[in-house]
Amino acid sequence: MVGTRYRYGGTDPLQGFDCSGLVHYAYGQAGYEVPRTSRELFRAVRKIAVGEADPGDLMFFQDQTKLSHVGIYLGDGLFVHAPANGQNVAVASLDSPYYQAHLVAVGRLLAH
């Protein structure tokens, strides 16, 4: 889905994705029903340490005081996400100072 446009509330590759819509779609394509919003996803995951993250785990980010963003971990410090209006689905690095400063939790939806 890398390159798909961002669209607030979006849940499919034709119209675009927001961050939680991308997670919902990706897990759905793999045959799993998961919550739709970032907050619901955050409540549904089992929190784990960053060093325990496996591909498919979720990365949660916060701006100021509220949970604001979620991405899917790919491994090797990289995650895929739908960043913001005017941008496309992209791969980003957890080494980025911005994402390091805003990462609030890593979570696992499925037991593995």
Side-chain angles (χ1 to χ4, degrees), residues 66-85:
K66 69 178 181 104
L67 185 69
S68 61
H69 195 59
V70 62
I72 304 170
Y73 188 63
L74 300 173
D76 297 325
L78 302 175
F79 65 100
V80 64
H81 65 139
N85 197 26

Side-chain angles (χ1 to χ4, degrees), residues 8 16 18 25 28 43 45 50 57 62 73 79 83-84 89-91 94 101:
Y8 182 78
D18 65 10
Y25 179 83
R43 285 192 290 266
V45 298
V50 175
D57 288 335
Q62 179 172 312
Y73 188 63
F79 65 100
V89 173
V91 174
L94 289 172

Side-chain angles (χ1 to χ4, degrees), residues 4-18 21-22 89:
T4 303
R5 73 182 185 100
Y6 179 92
R7 184 177 73 104
Y8 182 78
T11 59
D12 68 73
L14 295 177
Q15 302 215 5
F17 294 107
D18 65 10
L22 176 64
V89 173

